[in-house]
Each structure stands twice: as structure tokens, then as C-alpha cells.
Amino acid sequence: MSDTFEQPGQPDFPASPDFSAPPAVEAFSFSGRGSEYFRIWIVNLLLSVVTLGIYSAWAKVRRLRYFYDNTTVAGTSFEYHGNPMAILKGRVITVVLLFGYQFAFKLNPLLGLLVLIAFLAAMPWLIWRSLQFKLYNTSYRGIRFGFRGNAAGAYKVYLWLPLLTFFTLYLLTPFTHQRIKRFQHTESRFGASHFSFTGSVGAFYKTYLIGFGIYLAGFIAILLTVGASAYPFMSDQSFGAGHVFSFVLVILALYAWTFLMYPLFLTLMQNLIWNHTRLGEHRFHSGMRWGRMMFIAFTNIIGIVCTLGLYTPFAQIRALRYRIESMSLHPAGSLDEFIADNEPSGSAMGEGMTDLLDFDLSL
């Protein structure tokens, strides 16, 4: 007789499959406040004026550290490690180059032209160094970012393509923009993981056309509304105050609409760029809405004008908060494991970079 006893009516069921939940979306958050940043901003401004701009390097470090410390994703904030002396060195070099250019033109136009050509030829190299400095001095959970792009790539996207764009009457602007962003993102890294960028040239042309179409529609609407209301004054044969008022009203409306195109275009481009950027297998998402961004920009300008500029730090915090909190990280797996895989071994990470990244041109 068998020693096993089976209860009747108890069928054998296969083991339940392991349905693991997908990784949670990690939203970016920004905890900075206008009242806090106002104190940093006003001290930075006063000390920069008193020191004839020398303190501006320290001001930049204080500003960026505040922004980075208050930008959080997955429960951890970013860190900025920039050296004020390195930044000051870069700014001194920039000022010397600009003064040399001005002096050379006053001394001799041909000499000034040669200095200008030399300055433009050096610009891609300077931008390349600045990108290295900024990323290397940024970290998350103790792991530094980096930029692996070389000078040859920088000259291609920051010199040759802009020149080609100029000679094609700027028809290649979206193409050049796409190549610049592809260079910046694909050559960036976080620890041992590299970013990637899949935004196509066609997507950039489409975004530019959408932005231009919105601008043109607003331009025509202003002419049909504001311009039409001013037409009775402008059609009057006798020139007077009505003509001046109508003309100024139309110009101001067109100028305001042109100014509001910047936040609109910024919104379209941020969504395009970050929705096509990945870090390893992890992807980013940006959900900015251009109507909301234009409202923030418009009300910020009103606040700055009405307070004679004192609302500026509050305006910067409002705009930055919306841009950051529109971003989210969509992990492809465990974010903790991904971070662990990117932890530097000993002090090897970034070895040899200190001498290379010894200044920031703030470009």
C-alpha cells in the first residue's frame, strides 16, 4: 500500500507565472523657491558689480549648486562641483580675446579680420572644452557625467555646418541643429553608460515648420485685428497722434508675439530632443505644453517690468520648475542595479581629466 495520501477533489495546478510589475516612472522634481533664490541672486548681483565682474565666477557656482541641489529624480538630487577659479580663468580668456578683437580692428581693419577669423576658428575647440567641463563637474549619486566627443566632431558641428547653413541661406538650420544635438547627446555619458539620440532630421524640419506656422498664423491674426482697428487712423490724410499711436500699437503687438515665440519654440524643441534621448536602455520623456510655457513667460515679463527687475529670480524659478517637472525618467529595469553598474572603481574614473578640464568658458 502506498504511504502517500491524496485528498479527492484537489487537482494539481501549475505554478503561477511571475508577473513582475514594470519599473515605476521616475518624475523629475524641483524644490527651489523664489524667496530663497532671491537672496542668492541679489548677493551675486551686488558682489559682481562691486568687484567689476570678478565675483561672477563664484556667483555662477552658487547659482548652479542651488539649482542642482533642488533638482531631484528617484529621491536623489544632482550635484555641481565646478571650481570658481577655473570659471574665472575661462572668462578672463574670453574677455582678453574680445578686447584683442576690438583693438585689432581699431588698429587695422585687415588685422581685425584676421583676429576675427582666428577667434571663429578657435570657437569650436572652446565649446568642446566647455562641454567637457560642465558634464565632468556634474554628478548624481556620487557618479560623474562625462563627455567623450573629440575636437574633430566639435569642428564639424560648430564650424563647418554653421558655415554651410549660412551659404544655403539658412535652409539647413534644422539639419545643423539636429547634428549639434546628436553630437552633444550621443557623446555624453553617465559613469560607464552612454546616452543615445534618435531624433531624425525630418523631425527637426517638422518642428521648425510647426513653429514657423504658428508664428505666421499669429502674425497674420495681429495684422487682421490690431492692424484693422488702427486702419481708420492710418487711412486719414492728416498725419497726427492717431497715426503714431496706431503704428506703435501694431509694432508692439508684433514684437510681443515675436518674443513669445521663444518659449513656444523652446517647448517644442525640449519635447523633441528629450523624447528621443536614452541613457542605456532607459528613456526620458518631456511633456511640456507650449500654451503653459507662453503664459509663464508672458506673466514673468509683466512681473519683471512692474518690479523694475526685482521679480527676475522668481521668474527664473517659475520657468525652471516647469521645464524640470515636465521631465520624467522611464527605467527599463531596476534603477538601483543600473546605478550600481556605473559606480566608479577606485579613483580610476576621470583619471587624467583634471588637467584637461581646468577652465570653463561658460558658453
Side-chain angles (χ1 to χ4, degrees), residues 93-109:
I93 293 174
T94 304
V95 171
V96 169
L97 291 174
L98 292 175
F99 269 103
Y101 161 70
Q102 293 289 340
F103 178 76
F105 250 111
K106 291 181 180 180
L107 187 64
N108 187 295

Side-chain angles (χ1 to χ4, degrees), residues 254-267:
L254 292 176
Y255 179 81
W257 176 242
T258 302
F259 174 82
L260 287 175
M261 278 302 300
Y262 173 74
L264 185 150
F265 187 71
L266 177 69
T267 300

Side-chain angles (χ1 to χ4, degrees), residues 215 252-265 293-294 296-302 304:
Y215 175 74
L252 288 178
L254 292 176
Y255 179 81
W257 176 242
T258 302
F259 174 82
L260 287 175
M261 278 302 300
Y262 173 74
L264 185 150
F265 187 71
M293 192 62 196
M294 290 178 71
I296 292 174
F298 181 72
T299 52
N300 279 348
I301 288 298
I302 293 177
I304 292 172

Side-chain angles (χ1 to χ4, degrees), residues 60-358:
K60 177 182 179 180
V61 171
R62 288 190 65 201
R63 182 180 72 252
L64 290 181
R65 283 179 179 169
Y66 180 78
F67 290 159
Y68 280 46
D69 289 344
N70 286 281
T71 301
T72 304
V73 61
T76 306
S77 62
F78 293 83
E79 293 183 85
Y80 182 72
H81 310 278
N83 184 348
M85 286 301 299
I87 296 174
L88 180 62
K89 184 192 303 183
R91 292 187 172 180
V92 169
I93 293 174
T94 304
V95 171
V96 169
L97 291 174
L98 292 175
F99 269 103
Y101 161 70
Q102 293 289 340
F103 178 76
F105 250 111
K106 291 181 180 180
L107 187 64
N108 187 295
L110 180 59
L111 179 61
L113 181 61
L114 293 176
V115 173
L116 176 61
I117 293 174
F119 183 76
L120 292 177
M123 188 60 66
W125 183 83
L126 299 174
I127 295 175
W128 170 56
R129 291 287 295 271
S130 183
L131 287 172
Q132 289 180 319
F133 182 94
K134 289 177 180 177
L135 282 174
Y136 181 70
N137 285 290
T138 302
S139 69
Y140 177 75
R141 293 193 182 183
I143 302 173
R144 299 239 182 178
F145 290 81
F147 190 76
R148 62 178 178 174
N150 54 34
Y155 271 92
K156 179 180 179 181
V157 300
Y158 291 115
L159 182 60
W160 306 124
L161 285 180
L163 286 175
L164 186 61
T165 301
F166 174 77
F167 286 113
T168 58
L169 302 178
Y170 297 98
L171 293 177
L172 287 181
T173 299
F175 173 80
T176 301
H177 196 173
Q178 188 268 350
R179 287 294 189 262
I180 289 175
K181 287 302 173 183
R182 189 179 70 172
F183 175 72
Q184 291 176 346
H185 284 232
T186 58
E187 300 297 343
S188 300
R189 61 176 173 80
F190 172 67
S193 297
H194 297 284
F195 288 83
S196 61
F197 183 69
T198 59
S200 65
V201 174
F204 273 75
Y205 270 97
K206 179 180 178 180
T207 302
Y208 269 80
L209 288 175
I210 291 175
F212 178 75
I214 295 174
Y215 175 74
L216 185 61
F219 188 91
I220 295 174
I222 290 173
L223 292 180
L224 292 178
T225 55
V226 181
S229 63
Y231 179 76
F233 297 99
M234 301 180 69
S235 61
D236 190 0
Q237 297 296 325
S238 59
F239 183 83
H243 289 79
V244 176
F245 175 77
S246 301
F247 179 77
V248 170
L249 186 62
V250 172
I251 295 300
L252 288 178
L254 292 176
Y255 179 81
W257 176 242
T258 302
F259 174 82
L260 287 175
M261 278 302 300
Y262 173 74
L264 185 150
F265 187 71
L266 177 69
T267 300
L268 295 176
M269 292 311 304
Q270 173 165 317
N271 290 344
L272 168 63
I273 292 168
W274 283 106
N275 290 341
H276 290 86
T277 298
R278 289 176 178 263
L279 175 58
E281 295 299 320
H282 309 293
R283 64 184 181 89
F284 298 90
H285 176 74
S286 175
M288 288 180 67
R289 294 180 288 111
W290 64 268
R292 174 63 178 168
M293 192 62 196
M294 290 178 71
F295 172 78
I296 292 174
F298 181 72
T299 52
N300 279 348
I301 288 298
I302 293 177
I304 292 172
V305 172
C306 293
T307 61
L308 302 179
L310 293 179
Y311 188 72
T312 299
F314 297 89
Q316 292 175 346
I317 291 295
R318 285 186 69 205
L320 187 61
R321 174 179 288 110
Y322 181 65
R323 291 184 62 186
I324 291 175
E325 295 188 347
S326 296
M327 293 279 299
S328 59
L329 173 64
H330 296 242
S334 172
L335 196 59
D336 291 331
E337 294 180 2
F338 174 74
I339 296 296
D341 290 340
N342 283 276
E343 288 182 354
S345 55
S347 60
M349 184 179 178
E351 185 176 356
M353 297 290 285
T354 305
D355 292 336
L356 175 66
L357 306 172
D358 60 349

